[in-house]
Each structure stands twice: as C-alpha cells, then as structure tokens.
C-alpha cells in the first residue's frame, strides 16, 4: 500500500524519469518500508497520517507544502529505521 501511494504520486506528477527511478528502487524500498511499518515509533497509522498531509497539500495545490510534508515523511522514516538499526543487537 505504501509503495503504491509513492508510485501513484510519481505517476500523477507526469515525471517519467521519477516513475522509472521508483520502479527500480522498489525492491530496496520494500525492505525499508516493511521494517519501518513494524517499528513502535512508526507503523501504519503514523505513515498514513503523514501521507494524508501530503495529499491535503496537493489537493490545496500547495506544491511547497506538499514537498515539505513529503520530505518530512521520508526523513521521519529514515531516522526511525536508523535508530532501530543502531539499537539492534546483532
């Protein structure tokens, strides 16, 4: 579901290069997303709430806010996964 949302945004942007990049990145992204969605600090509710903010900005035709919210979402996911890796005993 999360990957579908990201691909949908790329497709509706009309940016064919972005769509192709996302398709190539899907394998690695699936690993990241599966990890992030199981973390206590993230999970589906948090991710969906962040997606909702991006969509609301798009509906409002506020590109700068949509970009800001999308970057926050990516940063939040990245930081949560990195914290998890740092705290995991291997």
């Amino acid at each position: 579901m999360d990957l579908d949302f990201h691909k949908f945004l790329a497709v509706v942007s009309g940016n064919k290069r972005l769509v192709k990049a996302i398709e190539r990145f899907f394998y690695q992204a699936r690993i990241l997303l599966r990890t992030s969605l199981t973390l206590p600090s993230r999970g589906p509710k948090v991710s969906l709430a962040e997606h909702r903010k991006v969509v609301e900005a798009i509906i409002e035709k506020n590109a700068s806010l949509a970009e800001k919210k999308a970057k926050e979402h990516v940063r939040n996911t990245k930081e949560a996964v990195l914290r998890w890796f740092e705290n995991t005993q291997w």
Side-chain angles (χ1 to χ4, degrees), residues 3-32:
L3 287 174
D4 292 337
F5 173 74
H6 289 259
K7 185 173 180 181
F8 171 77
L9 289 180
V11 169
V12 299
S13 76
N15 186 332
K16 292 179 183 178
R17 292 176 77 185
L18 179 60
V19 172
K20 290 208 180 287
I22 285 177
E23 287 171 348
R24 285 189 295 262
F25 183 68
F26 265 25
Y27 175 74
Q28 290 140 346
R30 278 189 186 99
I31 295 168
L32 172 66

Side-chain angles (χ1 to χ4, degrees), residues 11 19 26 35 37 51 53 55-56 59 71 73 79 81:
V11 169
V19 172
F26 265 25
T35 302
L37 290 174
H51 286 173
K53 290 176 183 176
V55 171
E56 288 169 358
I59 290 169
K71 286 181 177 180
H73 170 61
E79 289 173 356
V81 171

Side-chain angles (χ1 to χ4, degrees), residues 1-89:
M1 176 176 76
D2 196 40
L3 287 174
D4 292 337
F5 173 74
H6 289 259
K7 185 173 180 181
F8 171 77
L9 289 180
V11 169
V12 299
S13 76
N15 186 332
K16 292 179 183 178
R17 292 176 77 185
L18 179 60
V19 172
K20 290 208 180 287
I22 285 177
E23 287 171 348
R24 285 189 295 262
F25 183 68
F26 265 25
Y27 175 74
Q28 290 140 346
R30 278 189 186 99
I31 295 168
L32 172 66
L33 291 171
R34 284 187 185 144
T35 302
S36 71
L37 290 174
T38 62
L39 299 177
S41 62
R42 297 290 303 156
K45 288 183 181 180
V46 173
S47 185
L48 286 174
E50 291 174 352
H51 286 173
R52 207 170 278 117
K53 290 176 183 176
V54 174
V55 171
E56 288 169 358
I58 292 170
I59 290 169
E60 294 170 4
K61 298 183 185 333
N62 189 336
S64 61
L65 181 60
E67 178 183 12
K68 177 184 173 189
K69 294 301 178 182
K71 286 181 177 180
E72 286 175 4
H73 170 61
V74 170
R75 185 180 57 247
N76 291 342
T77 301
K78 174 186 159 188
E79 289 173 356
V81 171
L82 288 176
R83 269 192 313 273
W84 178 78
F85 273 113
E86 289 170 358
N87 294 322
T88 298
Q89 300 293 324

